[in-house]
Amino acid sequence: MGNRFQVRDRFAEGAQYIDGRLRHGTSGQSHTVVDPATGDEVLTYELAGTADVDAAVAAAKRAFPAWSGATPGERSDALHRLAAVLAEEAEDFAYAESLQCGKPLKLSTEFDVPGTIDNTAFFAGAARHLQGQAAAEYSGDHTSFVRREAIGVVGSIAPWNYPLQMAAWKILPAVAAGNTIVLKPAELTPLTSLMFAQAARRAGLPDGVINIVTGAGREAGEHLVGHPDVVMTSFTGSTAVGKRVAEIATATVKRLHLELGGKAPFLVFDDADLEAAAHGAVAASLINTGQDCTAATRAYVQRPLHDAFVARVAELMETVRLGDPFAAGTDLGPLVSHAHRDRVAGFVERARAYATVVTGGEIPGGGLAAGAYYRPTLISGASQDSEVVQSEIFGPVLVVLPFDTDDEGIALANDTPYGLAASAWSRDLYRANRATREIKAGCVWVNDHIPIISEMPHGGSKASGYGKDMSSYSFEEYTQVKHVMYDNTAVAAKDWHRTVFGDR
């Protein structure tokens, strides 16, 4: 597979996809995509400048009238064809995703790529169900109904942790609703976003409907968000950058969708299945090497189970196999870059002064020394107000804290600026149901943590942002609701006119 798919040949014409073709960026600066498992160069390309953003937005604006005027069935058919193209090219997508991110091939093959194909198939169906409120005579003298209309050119920014899936989450609801889009992927990981746009063209989506500009955030990203012809921005990334995006978008009165950071609590009550909770904690904290805004990061365990939970999680973490992302036996790949690996390691090193590193907390040597690897890490004994409990680490690090009463456990779970995801572990239906009501997060799992499905919305609250990806709820972000009202009386001088002029 790797020998068949040659990245440099595929993107020899550049890493910008505008109006149906690849082109080189015009910023005058280049960037190198690096394989984080080896440190080897994958692709060096020219970054997008403001002129490239302008060209992409212009292409999207030209394509909008025809695409928004297509029937829902026509847009649906195009997305069904796209799902088929993605399925045909699944191996190449999985390889490219693992190459640029360092995630194990089994994760790309069994999660990222099939999840994206499923998202595409879902929105192919959802395109035919853009419904408003049925017609009725609410005033008595008029018939009212609601239209859902495409809003125009969307300018979106996607992160580096799930490049393919995040590109799909931005693109699919936008185009299913009849909009056109300019997407800026992260400079570190542009390959699969570009491939997605190319696949869309092969599926018959018109040129200009999907455009990709790969550039720096301060130049290409800010210009895209502030562009006068962009009517909406959808951003996924850190809360700090999200605040900057909001400032720019607000200045031009854009619609804004933000999916920001997280610090998900993993709440284990004393009646929980300990083995299930321990296995769930390891999987949920280490998925994508912990580079997941919904990953389990803070495990609160009721005191009777706390010590046994810590011991079992440590035991399971020590069985996790680090290695080459393309090797069949690899469980955990590197972090996305050496700089990010060092950032994660810094959190753990500082925590040694006030907490216990139960297992992990090491940069491996030997055959893994050249990559951005970090061992699965479990920390106990930290205080609730400590850095590792309150800050988003975004790495393979889980912190465990005890609690006594249910009230305390829920309060600790909510004691964070973030509100993206959480889980509760209990055999007691009423206990678990209370947790789902009272934990402030956009998603609360019960006796599991991480699964997502296309039919259900994804998005948070508080410092985790607002708005939804996936599901039909995402159309709330990408459509304009218009009220249309018809007079049914054919009366020239209506009774209500007297409130403005004349007498009854």
Side-chain angles (χ1 to χ4, degrees):
M1 179 168 55
N3 291 330
R4 180 167 58 83
F5 180 80
Q6 298 296 327
V7 172
R8 295 183 192 183
D9 292 344
R10 181 73 170 259
F11 301 110
E13 298 176 15
Q16 317 301 326
Y17 187 84
I18 300 171
D19 206 14
R21 68 180 184 88
L22 291 171
R23 53 193 273 182
H24 296 290
T26 62
S27 70
Q29 297 179 315
S30 63
H31 184 83
T32 299
V33 178
V34 173
D35 177 355
T38 62
D40 294 341
E41 175 188 340
V42 173
L43 176 72
T44 297
Y45 65 93
E46 295 82 8
L47 288 165
T50 57
D52 302 304
V53 174
D54 290 341
V57 173
K61 187 176 180 180
R62 287 192 300 272
F64 176 73
W67 183 247
S68 62
T71 67
E74 288 168 338
R75 292 196 295 269
S76 175
D77 289 347
L79 292 178
H80 276 301
R81 293 193 300 270
L82 175 55
V85 172
L86 295 173
E88 290 170 4
E89 301 178 5
E91 287 190 356
D92 283 350
F93 274 98
Y95 174 80
E97 194 76 338
S98 289
L99 184 65
Q100 66 182 351
C101 298
K103 61 181 67 186
L105 189 61
K106 68 177 181 179
L107 182 64
S108 296
T109 301
E110 298 179 29
F111 182 74
D112 298 72
V113 174
T116 300
I117 295 169
D118 186 72
N119 287 164
T120 307
F122 170 80
F123 279 107
R128 304 185 83 135
H129 296 281
L130 279 169
Q131 298 173 344
Q133 196 165 8
E137 289 67 48
Y138 295 97
S139 78
D141 290 337
H142 306 82
T143 296
S144 288
F145 66 90
V146 170
R147 293 174 54 89
R148 278 192 181 273
E149 297 180 345
I151 57 176
V153 178
V154 177
S156 293
I157 299 175
W160 50 257
N161 57 334
Y162 290 102
L164 176 60
Q165 290 207 82
M166 295 297 99
W169 286 15
K170 301 300 182 196
I171 292 169
L172 292 169
V175 301
N179 303 291
T180 55
I181 189 168
V182 178
L183 175 76
K184 192 196 89 66
E187 307 95 293
L188 290 172
T189 55
L191 304 182
T192 47
S193 298
L194 293 162
M195 292 167 62
F196 188 92
Q198 291 175 307
R201 189 172 197 267
R202 287 192 288 279
L205 273 77
D207 292 347
V209 171
I210 300 172
N211 305 273
I212 310 293
V213 290
T214 309
R218 292 213 174 262
E219 183 173 1
E222 292 196 3
H223 190 63
L224 177 62
V225 174
H227 199 289
D229 289 332
V230 169
V231 299
M232 174 190 164
T233 290
S234 177
F235 170 81
T236 296
S238 71
T239 298
V241 177
K243 291 177 180 178
R244 175 60 180 158
V245 169
E247 289 174 1
I248 299 169
T250 300
T252 50
V253 199
K254 283 180 172 49
R255 184 177 296 195
L256 185 60
H257 165 220
L258 297 174
E259 201 266 87
L260 307 177
K263 191 70 177 176
F266 187 98
L267 186 61
V268 182
F269 293 102
D270 58 13
D271 67 323
D273 181 325
L274 177 61
E275 195 68 6
H279 277 81
V282 173
S285 62
L286 300 185
I287 186 171
N288 204 33
T289 319
Q291 299 166 127
D292 187 313
C293 49
T294 63
T297 59
R298 301 177 291 138
Y300 296 102
V301 185
Q302 208 150 23
R303 206 170 294 274
L305 286 186
H306 177 269
D307 292 352
F309 178 88
V310 170
R312 185 60 175 140
V313 169
E315 183 179 38
L316 290 172
M317 279 189 171
E318 288 164 5
T319 70
V320 173
R321 299 162 296 182
L322 275 69
D324 177 0
F326 297 99
T330 295
D331 296 320
L332 200 70
L335 291 152
V336 74
S337 69
H338 288 77
H340 185 58
R341 189 271 313 275
D342 293 345
R343 176 184 176 275
V344 170
F347 276 100
V348 178
E349 290 309 305
R350 291 189 296 274
R352 293 183 191 277
Y354 55 81
T356 299
V357 177
V358 180
T359 189
E362 298 172 350
I363 296 172
L368 301 180
Y373 290 91
Y374 197 74
R375 294 202 183 281
T377 301
L378 181 65
I379 295 174
S380 67
S383 62
Q384 177 65 13
D385 62 355
S386 63
E387 180 186 48
V388 290
V389 174
Q390 292 296 328
S391 298
E392 188 173 29
I393 300 173
F394 225 58
V397 180
L398 177 65
V399 185
V400 184
L401 298 89
F403 70 92
D404 292 303
T405 67
D406 289 14
D407 288 349
E408 181 190 9
I410 292 172
L412 289 169
N414 284 330
D415 182 25
T416 175
Y418 301 105
L420 186 57
S423 64
W425 297 74
S426 173
R427 291 185 175 96
D428 186 319
L429 172 64
Y430 297 99
R431 212 175 199 182
N433 195 27
R434 179 193 174 190
T436 65
R437 292 194 311 272
E438 296 186 13
I439 293 176
K440 306 304 180 187
C443 175
V444 181
W445 293 282
V446 176
N447 294 327
D448 208 344
H449 191 118
I450 283 297
I452 54 175
I453 50 176
S454 298
E455 292 82 358
M456 289 291 112
H458 177 87
S461 60
K462 301 195 292 185
S464 293
Y466 45 81
K468 299 298 179 184
D469 288 309
M470 297 199 300
S471 82
S472 59
Y473 290 99
S474 65
F475 286 136
E476 302 296 327
E477 318 302 325
Y478 295 99
T479 57
Q480 177 67 44
V481 174
K482 178 188 286 184
H483 171 218
V484 178
M485 178 180 269
Y486 286 91
D487 170 60
N488 293 330
T489 66
V491 173
K494 294 178 172 55
D495 186 57
W496 74 266
H497 292 175
R498 67 182 177 82
T499 62
V500 181
F501 71 99
D503 300 317
R504 178 175 288 173

